[in-house]
């Protein structure tokens, strides 16, 4: 028969809970980041005040002065949320609504910033990898609501559309690598992949040349991608293209770049 035993509270030990941001090292790094950020914003304010130090009010006082701090807020960074307080600056000579009022516009910590650029760069990578953001960044990650992610995705689509239309007439590539990358994200078609072209310039610098999504690595999809590059000015074919055994790419490359050498 099963028996129940009461566990004395003296024997219950609370263990450290696993988590991305709960370890002591990350806590130290976050505290250090907070201190460095505080020094940086204070230095920015001090520099701003120095530039306006010669301005005086009608009665001879300093016109542009410090005026306390804004309420504390958290900015999501690569090591978790970091609490920050932005110093305030006051123009004694002008009213708040005066268009001529001297305003302090911080560059390090803009008023509506909720995420660092490193996080904004990381988010699309995590999205494509199919990683749950809450599991990595914490359930209380500020600014990462469903609507916020939706707005970020809209911005990514706009950036992609502009990049896909960029002029390539000044570009030259000696080598181009081609491959179909199958993603782990929850896309509409399970067989969908991204056709990717990486090019090497004559100076030896690698660049992303083009990409498109397709249901399969077909010659039709690869041909459309290569012809789109030509339409946007990439007239000089590469000397060598490198790819795996995907027959669709080799057929398309032979039609669009017939004089280019091939390497498996």
């Amino acid at each position: 028969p099963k028996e129940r035993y009461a566990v004395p509270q003296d024997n219950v030990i609370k263990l450290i809970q696993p988590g991305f941001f709960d370890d002591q090292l990350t806590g130290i790094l976050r505290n250090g980041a907070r201190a460095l950020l505080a020094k940086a914003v204070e230095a920015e304010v001090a520099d701003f005040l120095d530039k306006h130090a010669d301005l005086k009010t009608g009665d001879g006082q300093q016109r542009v002065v410090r005026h306390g701090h804004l309420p504390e807020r958290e900015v999501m960074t690569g090591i978790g949320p970091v609490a920050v307080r932005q110093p305030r600056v006051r123009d004694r000579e002008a009213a708040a609504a005066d268009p001529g009022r001297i305003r302090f516009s911080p560059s390090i910590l803009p008023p509506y910033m909720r995420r660092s650029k490193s996080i904004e760069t990381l988010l699309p990578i995590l999205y494509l990898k199919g990683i749950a953001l809450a599991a990595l960044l914490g359930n209380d990650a500020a600014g990462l609501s469903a609507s916020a992610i939706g707005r970020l995705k809209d911005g990514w689509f706009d950036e992609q559309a502009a990049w896909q239309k960029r002029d390539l007439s000044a570009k030259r590539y000696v080598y181009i690598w081609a491959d179909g990358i199958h993603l782990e994200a929850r896309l509409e078609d399970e067989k969908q992949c991204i056709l990717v072209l990486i090019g090497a310039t004559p100076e030896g610098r690698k660049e992303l040349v083009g990409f498109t999504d397709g249901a399969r690595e077909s010659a039709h999809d690869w041909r459309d991608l290569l012809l789109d590059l030509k339409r946007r000015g990439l007239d000089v074919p590469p000397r060598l293209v490198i790819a795996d055994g995907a027959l669709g790419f080799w057929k398309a490359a032979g039609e669009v770049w017939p004089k280019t050498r091939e390497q498996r």
Side-chain angles (χ1 to χ4, degrees), residues 63 89-103:
R63 175 175 172 176
V89 172
R90 177 188 174 193
D91 182 356
R92 289 172 165 171
E93 195 73 3
D98 189 342
R101 181 168 67 99
I102 297 175
R103 303 173 184 271

Side-chain angles (χ1 to χ4, degrees), residues 163-176:
W163 187 84
Q164 296 279 42
K165 296 177 182 177
R166 75 196 190 286
D167 180 32
L168 299 176
S169 58
K171 291 290 185 179
R172 297 291 183 273
Y173 297 105
V174 181
Y175 314 120
I176 284 184

Side-chain angles (χ1 to χ4, degrees), residues 11 14 17 40 53 80 105 121 143 166 180 197 199 216-217 234 262:
N11 295 340
K14 183 176 179 58
Q17 299 300 308
S105 299
T121 302
R166 75 196 190 286
L197 297 173
R216 59 191 186 280
E217 295 186 60
L234 192 63
E262 301 175 351

